[in-house]
Amino acid sequence: MLKEKLTWRYATKAMDPAKAVPQAKVNAILEAANLAPTSSGLQPFEIIVVTNPEVKAKLSAAAYGQKQVVDGSHVLVFAAWDNYTAERIDAVVQETHKQRGTPIEMLNAYYDGLKAQYLPRAAEVNYEHAARQAYIAFGVALTAAAFEEVDATPMEGFDPAQVDEILGLRAKGLRSVTLMPLGYRAAEGDWLKGAAKVRKSMADLVTEIA
C-alpha cells in the first residue's frame, strides 16, 4: 500500500479551489508530522496552518505567485527554531519527565551534554540543524497526505523573509523552512497530472556493500 500511495501522489500544480480538505484529514496529517523522529526528540520546529484567504494571498505573493497556495484549502508552514536555547531544551526535559516519568536527574545527564554541544554554536548553524529536523516531519506529512488521498505540494520556492514577516515568525523565534499547500487536484490546468513518475532505477539509486 505504501508504494501505491506514493506512486499516486505528485507535486500538484493546480488545485480545485471549490474542494476543501476535511479537517479530520488535516488533523491526521498533522498528527503524523508530530510523530516524526527528530534528533534527541527536540522537535525544534512548529507547523502553522493557514486557511485565511487574505493571508494565503500574501503567502502566494511571497511564493512568486504559485496558485496552489491560494487554491488549496490549507497551507502548512513548517518553521524551525532560529536557535537552540537552554530554555527550549529544558522544556523538552520537563515534557519528557511529565510524559514518561523519567527522573529529571537522569534526563539532565543527557540534555546538559546536549546544551554543552549546541549552545556555543552559531545561531545559523543551530537553525540549519533545526531546519533539517523540520524536513523529516515535512516528509512524513507528505506521506500521510498521500495515505489520506489529499494532494500536497512541497514548496521551497518562496521568499522566507517575506513569509516570516507575514506570519510574525521572527518574534516567536522561528524561521520558515517549507510550505505545503493541501487540497485536491484540479480537473484541468495541471500539466503534471497523469504524467509518468520519473525516478532513478533501483540499481542507480542503491549501492549495496555486503
Side-chain angles (χ1 to χ4, degrees), residues 15 36 42 47 65 91 105 162 166 169 175 191-192 197 203 209:
M15 293 186 177
L42 291 176
I47 305 171
E105 297 77 11
Q162 288 186 32
I166 292 165
L169 297 181
R175 292 171 60 180
W191 61 269
L192 196 53
K197 193 176 287 289
I209 302 175

Side-chain angles (χ1 to χ4, degrees), residues 5-81:
K5 295 296 187 182
L6 293 180
T7 300
W8 172 85
R9 72 149 303 277
Y10 70 103
T12 310
K13 302 304 180 185
M15 293 186 177
D16 186 343
K19 294 182 178 179
V21 179
Q23 190 60 44
K25 288 182 176 287
V26 176
N27 290 345
I29 293 166
L30 294 170
E31 288 165 4
N34 190 39
L35 291 171
T38 59
S39 179
S40 298
L42 291 176
Q43 290 187 290
F45 57 87
E46 294 183 21
I47 305 171
I48 296 86
V49 182
V50 182
T51 57
N52 182 288
E54 293 182 2
V55 178
K56 289 198 297 177
K58 292 178 182 179
L59 292 177
S60 178
Y64 314 112
Q66 295 183 79
K67 287 204 65 185
Q68 305 97 311
V69 176
V70 290
D71 289 342
S73 59
H74 298 71
V75 180
L76 309 187
V77 181
F78 287 72
W81 291 353

Side-chain angles (χ1 to χ4, degrees), residues 74-157:
H74 298 71
V75 180
L76 309 187
V77 181
F78 287 72
W81 291 353
D82 59 1
N83 200 356
Y84 288 110
T85 66
E87 291 75 17
R88 281 172 158 168
I89 294 174
D90 286 342
V92 174
V93 170
Q94 291 299 324
E95 191 63 26
T96 303
H97 171 67
K98 176 183 174 182
Q99 294 193 27
R100 288 183 177 171
T102 308
I104 289 290
E105 297 77 11
M106 185 180 298
L107 291 170
N108 283 339
Y110 175 79
Y111 283 101
D112 284 350
L114 206 64
K115 290 178 190 176
Q117 179 184 353
Y118 286 9
L119 300 188
R121 298 190 311 201
E124 188 65 22
V125 172
N126 282 336
Y127 162 71
E128 290 173 357
H129 183 268
R132 289 193 292 273
Q133 310 315 304
Y135 268 104
I136 297 171
F138 183 69
V140 171
L142 280 173
T143 303
F147 265 84
E148 296 295 329
E149 294 190 344
V150 170
D151 287 300
T153 307
M155 287 186 179
E156 289 184 308

